[in-house]
Amino acid sequence: MKKLGRTIWVGILAGLAFLGACGTHKGMTKDERAQLIKERDSIQQILKGREGACVYGSPEIIQAFGDETNRLRHQLDSINKRLGEDEPK
């Protein structure tokens, strides 16, 4: 019974923390937004250069190149998502 009570208590506290975090979000400042846009533009430029690149070397080098490209794409998607959420409605 003690374990169940502790589990419920932790669940309640986690839920309250989540609601508190959601309620206090005010959006980004102009400087944060400008920084994200600058970062997004540089990542897009890097990806454009990698688009038609020929990679020579061992399979590990080719795999590392692909992994880095995927990481950059994921980072770009995250930035675009954050910028989209901050749009005034």
Side-chain angles (χ1 to χ4, degrees), residues 17-82:
F18 177 75
L19 288 175
C22 289
T24 59
H25 179 66
K26 297 287 185 190
M28 286 184 260
T29 65
K30 281 186 175 182
D31 292 337
E32 290 171 334
R33 185 169 176 75
Q35 177 65 28
L36 278 177
I37 290 172
K38 191 178 192 181
E39 188 176 343
R40 179 187 65 186
D41 293 344
S42 73
I43 291 172
Q44 285 174 337
Q45 197 165 16
I46 291 169
L47 286 173
K48 189 190 299 184
R50 286 174 165 252
E51 210 169 80
C54 292
V55 181
Y56 298 102
S58 67
E60 292 83 17
I61 291 173
I62 295 169
Q63 180 67 38
F65 184 84
D67 291 345
E68 180 67 13
T69 301
N70 288 335
R71 186 191 66 76
L72 288 169
R73 286 184 183 140
H74 179 69
Q75 187 176 358
L76 182 62
D77 289 343
S78 297
I79 290 171
N80 284 333
K81 184 178 176 187
R82 282 191 63 199

